[in-house]
Amino acid sequence: MLSGGIGGATFTQGLLGCVDDETEITVIGNTADDIWLHGLKVCPDLDTLMYTLGGGIDPERRWGRAEETWAVKDELAAYGAEPTWFGLGDRDVATHLVRTQMLSAGYSLTDVTRALCVRWQPGVRLLPMSDDRVESHVVVDDEESPSGRRAIHFQEYWVRLRASVPARDVVMVGIESARPAAGVVEAIAEADVVVLPPSNPVVSIGPIVAVPGIGEALRTTTAPVVGVSPIIGGGAVRGMADQLLDGLGVEVSAGGVGTRYGARATGGLLDGWLVDTSDADQLDVLEDAGLRTRAVPLYMSDEETTAQLVRDTLALAEEARA
Ligand code: GDP
Ligand code: CA
């Protein structure tokens, strides 16, 4: 499994409910959302995965800790300490303190993530895509800049600006020299099935497959590689991913995203791609692009719909293997 935060975590939780205890699941989490705040290393997607699968997530917000309080955030704001727009909860801060302390002591992010998971027991092996620093930056218009543009951290674009201004481009700072974390390439090579859950194609799956070596591992694995569209109809489900796709000139549709990933047979990343039943008109363009595809309900509204989506995904993988 390659995963961002909410979409990937929801799907993975459903997957855990559909497999037996013997099945080993490795989740390769996006780390290009990571940000240093007030001296702390924050890994939003790894934490969403860890808290969701480990039972510590806030069920309404679907990020951060349940029963969270915000005294640290309020105290920082009282000092005028910037940035004030990022939700750093008191319980959550403990995770970032432990992580930052271990990183300062010389442990890799892979080691730190493993250590944090000892507490959360997510039921999967959670690996960061890379131990190296990679950051998604979004290029936005800026009248005051000589170039007329400015690149800001993805979190500033997403959390402070709520994706309210056009994204002209997305740049993965540090990606060229990033190496896959230990175990990532092997997990893909040795997998029985590789799944791209409904995660943001630009800033969640995009960075993972852009780490040199990971895209290659996907293209060469003997396992079927299947994905689930995060776009239903003409927009992102519970999110703003459409803004980023627009900015990159990708059509905001299940077909647009699927054909952008492309078929492995023609140098792309996927064998199969699921679209929503309401997007059945996209099947032709996907099949023309060499993808095996089906239209099934993609909205993960509760345990049962998520479980059915997981079964449909695994069935598509079996078809692709045949
Ligand atoms: P993030 O890192 O927290 O933004 O999470 P992800 O990248 O893993 O997932 C975000 C994506 O999940 C968004 O682009 C949504 O369109 C998609 N998404 C959220 N809920 C659903 C759902 O129920 N079904 C489908 N198909 N996609 C969903
Ligand atoms: Ca994310």
Side-chain angles (χ1 to χ4, degrees):
M1 181 86 61
L2 273 48
S3 176
I6 295 178
T10 308
F11 186 93
T12 307
Q13 197 170 30
L15 177 62
L16 278 168
C18 289
V19 297
D20 56 36
D21 292 348
E22 312 290 277
T23 309
E24 288 172 28
I25 301 171
T26 300
V27 177
I28 300 164
N30 170 46
T31 56
D33 286 10
D34 295 7
I35 186 165
W36 286 86
L37 291 168
H38 309 290
L40 299 179
K41 171 81 163 176
V42 180
C43 301
D45 287 357
L46 294 179
D47 288 348
T48 294
L49 283 159
M50 192 170 74
Y51 295 157
T52 302
L53 303 175
I57 199 86
D58 182 285
E60 266 84 56
R61 261 184 290 123
R62 301 175 79 209
W63 57 268
R65 292 293 319 282
E67 291 162 36
E68 189 58 283
T69 53
W70 305 92
V72 170
K73 185 172 189 262
D74 293 346
E75 290 293 312
L76 286 166
Y79 282 112
E82 292 289 341
T84 51
W85 43 261
F86 196 89
L88 266 191
D90 300 337
R91 288 175 186 270
D92 201 23
V93 161
T95 302
H96 311 318
L97 281 168
V98 173
R99 173 183 291 127
T100 307
Q101 202 170 20
M102 284 188 72
L103 288 172
S104 322
Y107 289 97
S108 67
L109 185 59
T110 306
D111 293 335
V112 176
T113 305
R114 192 187 307 120
L116 293 171
C117 284
V118 169
R119 171 179 176 198
W120 290 106
Q121 295 291 314
V124 301
R125 183 165 64 126
L126 179 58
L127 301 176
M129 67 187 199
S130 177
D131 288 331
D132 301 319
R133 186 168 176 171
V134 177
E135 280 180 8
S136 298
H137 286 208
V138 180
V139 178
V140 296
D141 294 332
D142 180 4
E143 286 169 6
E144 281 161 34
S145 148
S147 66
R149 298 210 164 159
R150 184 165 66 103
I152 55 176
H153 193 288
F154 165 72
Q155 296 296 350
E156 183 174 356
Y157 181 75
W158 211 244
V159 180
R160 185 172 77 80
L161 299 176
R162 309 294 311 159
S164 59
V165 300
R168 302 299 180 191
D169 200 3
V170 177
V171 189
M172 311 287 165
V173 180
I175 197 82
E176 297 83 5
S177 53
R179 291 151 302 171
V184 166
V185 167
E186 295 78 359
I188 295 170
E190 291 161 14
D192 192 36
V193 176
V194 178
V195 178
L196 275 59
S199 282
N200 188 311
V202 181
V203 288
S204 293
I205 303 292
I208 303 176
V209 301
V211 173
I214 297 186
E216 189 54 23
L218 287 168
R219 285 184 196 95
T220 53
T221 180
T222 53
V225 182
V226 292
V228 179
S229 175
I231 304 291
I232 298 180
V237 189
R238 316 183 185 99
M240 311 174 287
D242 34 344
Q243 258 86 332
L244 292 171
L245 286 167
D246 250 353
L248 296 183
V250 179
E251 186 188 293
V252 184
S253 67
V257 175
T259 51
R260 181 177 160 92
Y261 284 135
R264 291 212 293 166
T266 58
L269 298 173
L270 291 173
D271 298 309
W273 184 242
L274 288 180
V275 307
D276 189 64
T277 35
S278 65
D279 289 323
D281 61 336
Q282 311 273 310
L283 294 177
D284 285 349
V285 64
L286 288 160
E287 274 162 18
D288 289 349
L291 290 162
R292 190 174 285 271
T293 178
R294 287 274 176 286
V296 299
L298 292 197
Y299 196 75
M300 301 183 285
S301 44
D302 54 39
E303 235 172 79
E304 186 38 45
T305 53
T306 307
Q308 186 55 45
L309 176 57
V310 167
R311 289 192 289 267
D312 290 336
T313 307
L314 296 178
L316 187 70
E318 286 320 308
E319 273 181 42
R321 193 198 308 279

